[in-house]
Amino acid sequence: MSTTYTRLTKGIIEELEKIVGARNLITDIEKMEHYSHDETSVEEYAHMPEVVLTPLDVGQVAAIMRLATKYVIPVTPRGAGSGLSGGAIPLFGGIVLSLEKMNRVLEIDEASLTVTAEAGIVTNELNEHLKGKGLFFAGYPMSLETCFLGGNIAENAGGGKAVKYGVTGRYVLGLEVVTPQGEIVELGGKVTKDVSGYDLKQLYIGSEGTLGVITKATIRLLGVPNVASDLLVPFKSAQDAISVVPLIMKGGIVPTSIEFMDRSSIEMTCSYLNESLPLDGVGAMLLIEIDGSDEQQVERELIAVGDLCIQRGAMEVYIAEDASNRERIWSVRRNIAEAIKVYSPVQSLEDVVVPIGTIPRVLPELKRLSEKYDVTIPCYGHAGDGNLHATIVKNPESSMETWQDLEPKILTELYAFVVGKLGGKISGEHGIGLKRRVYLKNLTPPAEYRLFEAVKKALDPAAIMNPGKILW
Amino acid sequence: MSTTYTRLTKGIIEELEKIVGARNLITDIEKMEHYSHDETSVEEYAHMPEVVLTPLDVGQVAAIMRLATKYVIPVTPRGAGSGLSGGAIPLFGGIVLSLEKMNRVLEIDEASLTVTAEAGIVTNELNEHLKGKGLFFAGYPMSLETCFLGGNIAENAGGGKAVKYGVTGRYVLGLEVVTPQGEIVELGGKVTKDVSGYDLKQLYIGSEGTLGVITKATIRLLGVPNVASDLLVPFKSAQDAISVVPLIMKGGIVPTSIEFMDRSSIEMTCSYLNESLPLDGVGAMLLIEIDGSDEQQVERELIAVGDLCIQRGAMEVYIAEDASNRERIWSVRRNIAEAIKVYSPVQSLEDVVVPIGTIPRVLPELKRLSEKYDVTIPCYGHAGDGNLHATIVKNPESSMETWQDLEPKILTELYAFVVGKLGGKISGEHGIGLKRRVYLKNLTPPAEYRLFEAVKKALDPAAIMNPGKILW
């Protein structure tokens, strides 16, 4: 893919200003800096755009794309910039198309249990709109307080409740997408089943902005469960904690969440938050949530899961039933990524996903890698989905050159193990983006990779849509 | 799409025989007749293939596709032939590639809660393999006693339990697909979340055999719920019955099934099965299933739903808790399509799907159409999904010419209403196939239709994969 992109001229910028208005066009370098990176390492991955646009409606987005197609200008859609794989980074300059001003809830249809909102709405804010109606959007990305709905969809975000509720894509009934050529397409709608033509909606979900711009979505809602409680379960060894996970899943109970946090992650996060959890002799903890409509059933399931954990070596089972305690524990879980970043900014936050039955084999491999390469690898994540955020952290005593040499070696070995030995994948929810594109190419069988390329070429023939991401 | 296909020569047939063996190649006209149609009207839609192949493994399938690509021969994949939209009909002759001999269960992984099976396995048989392990495949297509897994996936079948469990596609973790060019591709795997590249798996799901041949699937399993009970709820008027449905959904309880059956459907089916249900003064019935792990919770939910129905005009609420009564009622539901076909073979079995909140508006429109065109329209279906199988039945006193003139007029009006007025779609689970391709083209906005065509061209550039289906 060796497209030559057009650099923006004064004339083109004037045309863009005619589309969005001067107030929605940024060329000031200081202001554009914010849009040059996401939550991946700025040193490693940032790149300045040539202009940032903050359109107000889908018509403007379509006009922008028509112009970008006409002049062959790369366009990088952007949500909150909270991504973890470089998806929002304008690798080839060009236009950053930020959805931040397209953030309205357009309709709540209680009879059909749907909400329709623009892609730039903060996910948590969407739920705030719905709270009073006893309905909620069951996607629960850990970054929900900042991330945008459009970004969730572009990454097919998972999050803390996917064990029971599935990932974002399960709730997307309809999508409004602007194609690279500037056509506005409505995929799906408010129906919960649909086989009228190809399921393109699912293709755009998780496409990381490389096939089109998501501008609006219709989301399927569920009733808020009446009852939810959490178990916090400490184990002496991380391996014991992880080994319980497939047993819980097999037991017939479907918890809302099964989150794993090793000692190292918890320590850093408690320190960061000035919080404290009981950590004497603890190797790791499981945070298990169970919700439902029936208090007695939830209680029965909590007890059953708690008993199973005790049988399998748990030190203790703490039950958190009131909202305040539950929020304390979840706040720790949600802040682990940030905490580790604060203490160890030079790192690689990984997102491997493996079949549930194989999850006990991941920690020994992390241990082997950390010993071989003299790095620490705090680990936490959505164990109930087989999705672990192993975070490879640079040894403070080694040099940056050593780290830059080691990092790809470690990832290559880790991915080869996950994919080759366990039948897993290199990303469960953070996406391929920029960060993992080389590995995707190396680890994907050529026939499958060619299908990716064929689909990309069909939908974005001029290769202007977030170039350099996913495919390489 | 004006491809010129190559007619099979003796030489090509000999090459095919070298691939599959003489025992897996059929040219005998009488034997091929079975493969010339599916469950749509034979008079209207059947077409003979030139050869039928029954390969034994994916290697043979790949070799067949390589040959078909080389010579430009159309290939129509076939499952059980139980489809309702003409998807399995070899419209351009060529090869029918039947998966009937690729019917093995390859692996049950209890630790990861998956089963991997070849596409030619009968869906119910898959569940028979799993029964003893307390696990099940939660797709429940109504034709599960005959249909194949591959066909379910190609049609993204819905069925009777999609209200709670979703459609087939939700459970497909991995797919083995043979491309038109004969490459074998493994999409997904055993992981429950995956954003490693584009979600092509979802593109093949519901693609009705027009993008590739599905040969194997890895299915996500759930624990069999301990408790399941059914409510059979008669209403004086069909409209009252239908109007309760969105209220049940909104109430926070998620039943496993909410099926609607009008009087006419029930009468025909009871007659067909020599069965009897209490029908005095009954306009329609709802069949509502609730399952779960907890007997008391299921009971509470049954009572809550039953109460709601009574408040909204139900004549009675019958509870069926023992397996035998439950099976009697579900057998009636499962056999409605067949029964109507027996009494009224000249018909159009429809599959419209609408947003749940709008479902009460469908029956008055059916009434209007039946009066305007002097036809009867028995109606039944998956009301909890907004998916109704209105069956337009030819008036026995009118001629075939009249019917052939009326049918497209009725469908055009029905679809225009469903799509234009209710925001629905023309097919929720039976597929576009041959039957609905003209309507899909007329009702799909051009920009979206062009995306369909672009994807089709990217994945099947020679247009040999089940030509004439979905797109027109």
Side-chain angles (χ1 to χ4, degrees):
Chain A
M1 210 166 40
S2 52
T3 312
T4 308
Y5 297 112
T6 306
R7 303 291 297 174
L8 294 187
T9 61
K10 194 157 157 294
I12 293 173
I13 297 212
E14 277 165 16
E15 287 191 60
L16 289 170
E17 195 177 306
K18 283 205 186 84
I19 295 171
V20 295
R23 265 197 287 181
N24 299 311
L25 184 147
I26 307 170
T27 48
D28 175 82
I29 300 276
E30 270 182 45
K31 291 182 180 148
M32 288 208 295
E33 192 280 334
H34 169 75
Y35 297 90
S36 68
H37 62 87
D38 61 7
E39 288 294 311
T40 51
S41 149
V42 172
E43 291 83 18
E44 279 188 80
Y45 295 119
H47 193 288
M48 285 294 275
E50 293 162 66
V51 69
V52 175
L53 305 175
T54 57
L56 301 176
D57 58 52
V58 68
Q60 291 184 355
V61 175
I64 293 165
M65 293 314 306
R66 280 195 296 277
L67 187 147
T69 288
K70 176 176 166 190
Y71 291 117
V72 192
I73 298 167
V75 177
T76 306
R78 183 183 182 90
S82 54
L84 292 160
S85 52
I89 295 170
L91 198 62
F92 290 80
I95 294 167
V96 158
L97 197 162
S98 167
L99 276 299
E100 65 197 73
K101 290 181 183 167
M102 291 173 60
N103 58 5
R104 294 170 297 161
V105 169
L106 300 175
E107 180 203 64
I108 298 172
D109 183 342
E110 290 183 65
S112 292
L113 298 169
T114 64
V115 62
T116 300
E118 292 181 314
I121 190 165
V122 171
T123 305
N124 207 33
E125 209 179 293
L126 185 62
N127 270 327
E128 291 295 316
H129 274 89
L130 299 166
K131 241 185 198 163
K133 304 182 188 297
L135 298 168
F136 80 119
F137 162 42
Y140 186 82
M142 302 310 278
S143 54
L144 83 165
E145 287 160 341
T146 39
C147 62
F148 291 1
L149 180 63
N152 294 165
I153 294 170
E155 299 288 339
N156 201 8
K161 304 197 180 185
V163 184
K164 174 171 179 178
Y165 290 114
V167 298
T168 295
R170 187 184 289 186
Y171 299 95
V172 180
L173 295 184
L175 265 193
E176 179 186 79
V177 174
V178 177
T179 68
Q181 301 86 343
E183 297 193 292
I184 301 170
V185 183
E186 307 265 356
L187 303 170
K190 281 191 197 174
V191 291
T192 58
K193 295 183 340 191
D194 179 16
V195 293
S196 311
Y198 296 121
D199 193 356
L200 297 180
K201 185 160 55 72
Q202 288 294 335
L203 196 54
Y204 286 92
I205 293 168
S207 64
E208 307 189 27
T210 64
L211 300 179
V213 186
I214 292 164
T215 47
K216 186 172 86 176
T218 297
I219 299 292
R220 179 164 75 91
L221 301 172
L222 301 180
V224 178
N226 295 333
V227 187
S229 295
D230 294 305
L231 297 179
L232 189 62
V233 189
F235 290 78
K236 277 209 190 77
S237 89
Q239 191 62 22
D240 283 350
I242 267 291
S243 302
V244 168
V245 175
L247 303 175
I248 296 172
M249 295 302 296
K250 195 173 178 303
I253 292 169
V254 183
T256 305
S257 318
I258 307 179
E259 298 289 309
F260 169 84
M261 304 179 283
D262 73 3
R263 182 189 185 84
S264 174
S265 312
I266 303 170
E267 277 177 330
M268 276 187 267
T269 314
C270 285
S271 184
Y272 172 68
L273 292 177
N274 210 21
E275 175 60 80
S276 94
L277 292 177
L279 278 176
D280 268 348
V282 172
M285 288 189 174
L286 293 184
L287 165 53
I288 300 166
E289 179 158 310
I290 296 189
D291 72 23
S293 55
D294 185 300
E295 201 167 332
Q296 283 155 19
Q297 189 211 348
V298 169
E299 185 138 345
R300 258 189 284 272
E301 292 186 350
L302 280 173
I303 290 169
V305 172
D307 283 351
L308 175 62
C309 291
I310 291 284
Q311 285 165 34
R312 295 287 174 165
M315 296 164 67
E316 184 68 65
V317 174
Y318 301 105
I319 301 185
E321 281 166 327
D322 67 276
S324 145
N325 272 331
R326 293 183 52 228
E327 175 51 25
R328 274 182 65 206
I329 300 170
W330 275 98
S331 174
V332 169
R333 171 57 191 91
R334 282 197 314 271
N335 281 280
I336 295 179
E338 191 57 31
I340 299 179
K341 207 171 162 202
V342 160
Y343 291 109
S344 314
V346 185
Q347 52 162 252
S348 187
L349 168 50
E350 289 310 307
D351 181 44
V352 295
V353 61
V354 300
I356 301 286
T358 68
I359 205 179
R361 293 171 62 185
V362 177
L363 297 186
E365 175 65 8
L366 296 178
K367 185 161 191 281
R368 188 191 71 78
L369 288 168
S370 80
E371 282 163 7
K372 174 172 176 179
Y373 291 100
D374 194 26
V375 289
T376 49
I377 310 185
C379 185
Y380 62 97
H382 315 295
D385 305 322
N387 180 210
L388 290 178
H389 297 315
T391 310
I392 301 145
V393 161
K394 173 184 164 304
N395 184 330
E397 279 154 50
S398 68
S399 66
M400 274 306 289
E401 287 72 29
T402 307
W403 167 255
Q404 280 155 6
D405 178 59
L406 283 188
E407 187 194 1
K409 289 184 171 135
I410 299 171
L411 293 188
T412 300
E413 277 189 57
L414 173 62
Y415 293 162
F417 176 78
V418 161
V419 175
K421 293 271 188 296
L422 302 187
K425 300 281 178 175
I426 65 178
S427 181
E429 54 179 22
H430 292 171
I432 296 299
L434 176 49
K435 189 182 195 304
R436 297 185 179 92
R437 60 183 188 171
V438 176
Y439 301 101
L440 184 74
K441 182 152 197 184
N442 292 341
L443 290 162
T444 304
E448 185 182 353
Y449 202 84
R450 281 194 292 273
L451 292 179
F452 291 161
E453 291 175 324
V455 164
K456 165 71 170 178
K457 197 162 166 55
L459 300 182
D460 179 25
I464 61 167
M465 212 63 242
N466 208 5
K469 311 297 171 59
I470 303 185
L471 300 178
W472 180 61
Chain B
M1 210 164 41
S2 54
T3 311
T4 309
Y5 297 111
T6 305
R7 304 290 297 174
L8 294 187
T9 61
K10 193 158 157 296
I12 293 174
I13 298 212
E14 276 165 16
E15 286 190 63
L16 289 171
E17 196 177 304
K18 283 207 186 83
I19 295 171
V20 296
R23 265 196 286 179
N24 299 312
L25 184 146
I26 306 169
T27 47
D28 175 82
I29 300 277
E30 271 182 45
K31 290 184 181 150
M32 288 207 296
E33 191 280 335
H34 169 75
Y35 297 91
S36 69
H37 63 87
D38 61 6
E39 289 293 310
T40 51
S41 149
V42 172
E43 291 82 18
E44 280 190 79
Y45 294 120
H47 192 288
M48 285 294 275
E50 294 164 65
V51 69
V52 175
L53 305 175
T54 57
L56 301 176
D57 58 52
V58 67
Q60 292 184 356
V61 175
I64 293 165
M65 293 315 306
R66 279 194 298 275
L67 186 146
T69 288
K70 176 176 164 189
Y71 290 116
V72 192
I73 298 166
V75 177
T76 306
R78 183 183 181 91
S82 55
L84 293 161
S85 52
I89 295 170
L91 198 62
F92 289 81
I95 294 168
V96 157
L97 197 162
S98 167
L99 276 299
E100 64 197 75
K101 290 182 182 166
M102 291 173 61
N103 59 5
R104 294 170 297 161
V105 169
L106 300 174
E107 180 202 65
I108 299 172
D109 183 340
E110 291 185 63
S112 293
L113 298 170
T114 65
V115 61
T116 300
E118 292 182 312
I121 190 165
V122 172
T123 305
N124 206 31
E125 211 181 291
L126 186 61
N127 270 328
E128 291 295 316
H129 273 89
L130 299 166
K131 244 185 195 162
K133 303 183 189 294
L135 298 168
F136 82 119
F137 163 44
Y140 186 81
M142 302 310 277
S143 55
L144 83 165
E145 287 160 341
T146 39
C147 61
F148 291 1
L149 180 63
N152 292 165
I153 295 171
E155 299 288 339
N156 201 9
K161 304 196 179 184
V163 183
K164 175 171 178 176
Y165 290 115
V167 298
T168 294
R170 187 185 289 185
Y171 298 96
V172 179
L173 295 183
L175 264 193
E176 179 186 79
V177 174
V178 177
T179 67
Q181 301 85 343
E183 298 193 292
I184 301 170
V185 183
E186 307 266 355
L187 303 171
K190 282 190 197 174
V191 291
T192 57
K193 294 182 341 191
D194 179 14
V195 293
S196 312
Y198 296 121
D199 193 357
L200 297 180
K201 185 159 55 74
Q202 288 294 335
L203 195 55
Y204 286 92
I205 293 168
S207 64
E208 306 189 28
T210 64
L211 299 180
V213 185
I214 293 164
T215 48
K216 187 171 86 176
T218 297
I219 299 292
R220 180 164 74 91
L221 301 172
L222 302 180
V224 178
N226 296 332
V227 188
S229 294
D230 293 307
L231 297 179
L232 189 62
V233 189
F235 290 78
K236 278 211 190 77
S237 90
Q239 191 63 21
D240 284 350
I242 266 291
S243 300
V244 167
V245 175
L247 302 175
I248 296 172
M249 297 301 296
K250 194 173 180 303
I253 291 168
V254 183
T256 305
S257 318
I258 306 179
E259 297 289 309
F260 169 84
M261 306 180 281
D262 73 5
R263 183 191 183 85
S264 173
S265 312
I266 302 170
E267 277 176 331
M268 275 187 267
T269 314
C270 285
S271 182
Y272 172 68
L273 293 177
N274 210 21
E275 175 59 80
S276 92
L277 291 178
L279 279 177
D280 268 349
V282 172
M285 289 190 176
L286 293 184
L287 165 53
I288 301 166
E289 179 158 310
I290 296 188
D291 72 23
S293 54
D294 185 302
E295 200 166 333
Q296 283 155 20
Q297 190 211 349
V298 168
E299 184 138 345
R300 257 189 284 271
E301 292 187 350
L302 280 173
I303 288 169
V305 172
D307 282 350
L308 176 62
C309 290
I310 292 283
Q311 284 165 35
R312 294 288 172 163
M315 296 164 68
E316 183 69 63
V317 174
Y318 302 104
I319 299 184
E321 281 164 329
D322 68 277
S324 145
N325 272 330
R326 292 182 54 228
E327 174 51 24
R328 274 182 65 206
I329 300 168
W330 273 98
S331 175
V332 170
R333 172 58 189 91
R334 282 199 312 272
N335 281 281
I336 295 179
E338 191 56 31
I340 299 180
K341 208 170 162 201
V342 160
Y343 290 110
S344 313
V346 185
Q347 53 164 249
S348 187
L349 168 49
E350 289 311 308
D351 180 43
V352 294
V353 62
V354 301
I356 302 283
T358 68
I359 205 178
R361 293 171 62 185
V362 177
L363 296 186
E365 175 65 8
L366 296 179
K367 186 162 191 281
R368 188 190 72 79
L369 288 167
S370 80
E371 282 163 7
K372 175 173 177 181
Y373 290 102
D374 195 26
V375 288
T376 50
I377 310 185
C379 184
Y380 62 97
H382 315 294
D385 305 323
N387 180 209
L388 289 178
H389 296 316
T391 310
I392 301 145
V393 161
K394 172 182 164 305
N395 184 332
E397 280 155 49
S398 69
S399 66
M400 274 305 288
E401 287 74 28
T402 306
W403 167 256
Q404 279 155 8
D405 179 59
L406 283 188
E407 187 194 1
K409 290 183 172 137
I410 299 171
L411 293 188
T412 300
E413 276 189 57
L414 173 62
Y415 292 164
F417 176 79
V418 160
V419 175
K421 291 273 189 294
L422 302 186
K425 299 280 178 174
I426 64 178
S427 181
E429 54 179 23
H430 292 171
I432 296 299
L434 176 51
K435 189 183 196 303
R436 297 186 178 91
R437 60 183 187 171
V438 177
Y439 301 101
L440 183 74
K441 182 151 197 184
N442 292 340
L443 289 162
T444 303
E448 185 182 352
Y449 202 85
R450 279 194 293 272
L451 291 178
F452 291 161
E453 291 176 322
V455 164
K456 165 70 170 178
K457 196 162 167 53
L459 300 183
D460 179 26
I464 61 167
M465 213 61 241
N466 208 4
K469 311 298 171 61
I470 303 184
L471 299 178
W472 181 60

